[in-house]
Amino acid sequence: MTTTKVFLDMFLVLQLLLLLLLLRGAAADDSRVPAVIVFGDSTADTGNNNFIQTLLRGNYTPYGRDFAGGVATGRFSNGRLAADFVSQGLGLPPAVPAYLDPGHSIHQLASGVSFASAGSGFDDITAQIFSAVTLTQQIEHFKEYKEKLRRELGGAAANHTVASSLYLFSVGGSDYLGNYLLFPVRRYRFTLLEYEAYLVGAAEAAVRAVYALGARRVRLPGLPPLGCLPLQRTVNLAAPGDCNRWHNMVARRFNRGLRAMASRLSRELPGAQVVYVDVYRLLADVIATPWAYGFEDAVRGCCGTGYFETGVLCSLDNALTCRDADKYVFFDAVHPSQRAYKIIADAIVHAASHRPE
């Protein structure tokens, strides 16, 4: 073998290696998530309710006290929400801006946006009870967002963002807590099983609506153990201080329907990845063994007495609020603390990094 042929063979091998590296890089770029797009309720509202006429706002202390600069942004927690941590975990900005905030340009919203509104639900009646933005209207806002993206980035770039983004629905708790179990608005029309089917159908309709608008990667976190929220323990007359087993059963039943629906849509919708995220099992374990996750209290919220305060009641009892929210699973009597949201976000990011079977 001549020296020239050896050099030619080595050159061809190097070219082949370079081509493989380029192809791998291109594949990595294709899989990168350009934005996190969020729909939901107070567990995902990053400030939208600050700009509508509603009593459900979190733009006052002690909310946001551990957010950057200690600003009460409207998030119902001491700091960031799961959606914020999901964004950061995917290499995007550490906070997802609120769509209705006029201080955010479409350029800022291009890498992530929350349409969520505290008090909203899969059932639009839920949002109307609390004067929140309905899920139907949130999807209309998404349509507006798409058009703004097209004008700002151009058609091709906007279509890429819409098709490759991660879509997160963090919603459902208000439907049961504010519309059926605690306040029986829908109980006069639906049996529990009928309402469960109605909500799963509404969730499916929402997923199909964003799919029709270009969404492909959808994540559906299930309900948490509703009966173990501090407020639910407080109003549990049958066993004061304990988790409400019936309400937990309701959450588990709904989650089974949500999981089955997500799996079915992944098969039916071409190119769709609709993935259920088991928040119930995760938070149930955190609540049962808080010390294993670095928490000290999973029964009370950090705010006020920790048993019933949420929203404006947290503001009234600000003097009683705990010093270190990181020790608490819940910040108020309904909403998780920033540390608990980080744990939920890790589960969502893990689900986002694996293509469903």
Side-chain angles (χ1 to χ4, degrees):
M1 182 178 293
T2 64
T3 303
T4 301
K5 189 175 186 310
V6 171
F7 279 122
L8 285 174
D9 289 343
M10 290 178 62
F11 181 69
L12 289 173
V13 169
L14 288 173
Q15 282 188 314
L16 180 59
L17 288 174
L18 180 60
L19 179 61
L20 289 173
L21 288 173
L22 289 173
L23 289 173
R24 180 177 295 180
D29 287 341
D30 287 342
S31 65
R32 190 181 70 83
V33 175
V36 173
I37 297 176
V38 186
F39 303 88
D41 54 24
S42 57
T43 60
D45 185 350
T46 59
N48 286 305
N49 273 24
N50 296 349
F51 304 97
I52 63 173
Q53 294 298 317
T54 178
L55 295 177
L56 296 186
R57 294 182 180 176
N59 57 343
Y60 40 75
T61 57
Y63 293 115
R65 68 179 202 179
D66 297 316
F67 196 81
V71 178
T73 60
R75 290 166 170 83
F76 282 81
S77 188
N78 57 302
R80 289 187 284 165
L81 307 180
D84 299 311
F85 287 114
V86 169
S87 178
Q88 183 178 28
L90 295 174
L92 297 168
V96 178
Y99 179 70
L100 295 181
D101 187 342
H104 296 310
S105 68
I106 187 60
H107 179 74
Q108 292 170 302
L109 300 178
S111 58
V113 59
S114 173
F115 302 105
S117 175
S120 194
F122 285 120
D123 182 353
D124 280 352
I125 294 294
T126 302
Q128 293 168 11
I129 292 170
F130 297 109
S131 299
V133 182
T134 66
L135 188 56
T136 298
Q137 185 59 51
Q138 291 179 37
I139 295 173
E140 288 298 314
H141 287 162
F142 174 51
K143 290 181 183 179
E144 297 174 0
Y145 169 78
K146 275 188 62 179
E147 179 58 26
K148 291 176 182 178
L149 270 185
R150 188 191 63 78
R151 292 197 300 264
E152 176 72 15
L153 306 178
N159 290 339
H160 171 74
T161 296
V162 169
S164 303
S165 291
L166 186 74
Y167 292 79
L168 179 62
F169 284 85
S170 183
V171 61
S174 296
D175 290 312
Y176 281 109
L177 296 180
N179 196 356
Y180 200 92
L181 297 176
L182 296 183
F183 303 101
V185 178
R186 282 299 211 181
R187 211 185 301 173
Y188 297 111
R189 178 176 175 182
F190 296 102
T191 68
L192 183 58
L193 293 182
E194 288 172 344
Y195 196 52
E196 174 191 308
Y198 177 82
L199 291 180
V200 172
E204 177 175 346
V207 173
R208 287 185 179 276
V210 296
Y211 175 85
L213 293 169
R216 291 298 179 266
R217 303 175 183 179
V218 179
R219 298 298 175 265
L220 290 171
L223 293 178
L226 294 177
C228 292
L229 302 181
L231 176 63
Q232 292 287 74
R233 292 176 184 264
T234 301
V235 299
N236 184 6
L237 300 180
D242 290 344
C243 295
N244 186 312
R245 292 185 178 183
W246 179 52
H247 291 181
N248 281 349
M249 179 273 292
V250 169
R252 289 195 302 271
R253 281 189 55 90
F254 171 77
N255 287 342
R256 285 196 291 271
L258 196 68
R259 182 199 293 268
M261 180 271 288
S263 178
R264 176 168 51 80
L265 289 188
S266 283
R267 296 191 302 270
E268 291 182 5
L269 300 177
Q273 298 178 26
V274 185
V275 179
Y276 168 82
V277 183
D278 193 353
V279 171
Y280 186 101
R281 183 179 300 181
L282 174 62
L283 277 185
D285 192 55
V286 172
I287 292 167
T289 59
W291 58 87
Y293 295 86
F295 296 106
E296 294 182 4
D297 196 326
V299 174
R300 297 177 302 150
C302 166
C303 158
T305 65
Y307 293 111
F308 62 87
E309 297 91 347
T310 187
V312 70
L313 293 179
C314 272
S315 178
L316 296 176
D317 287 324
N318 194 23
L320 297 176
T321 298
C322 73
R323 289 187 176 184
D324 186 0
D326 281 351
K327 296 178 180 178
Y328 289 73
V329 176
F330 297 97
F331 184 65
D332 63 19
V334 175
H335 302 98
S337 65
Q338 177 175 247
R339 269 201 72 225
Y341 273 128
K342 175 65 166 60
I343 291 171
I344 294 170
D346 288 344
I348 296 171
V349 171
H350 180 74
S353 66
H354 292 81
R355 188 181 183 90
E357 296 293 335

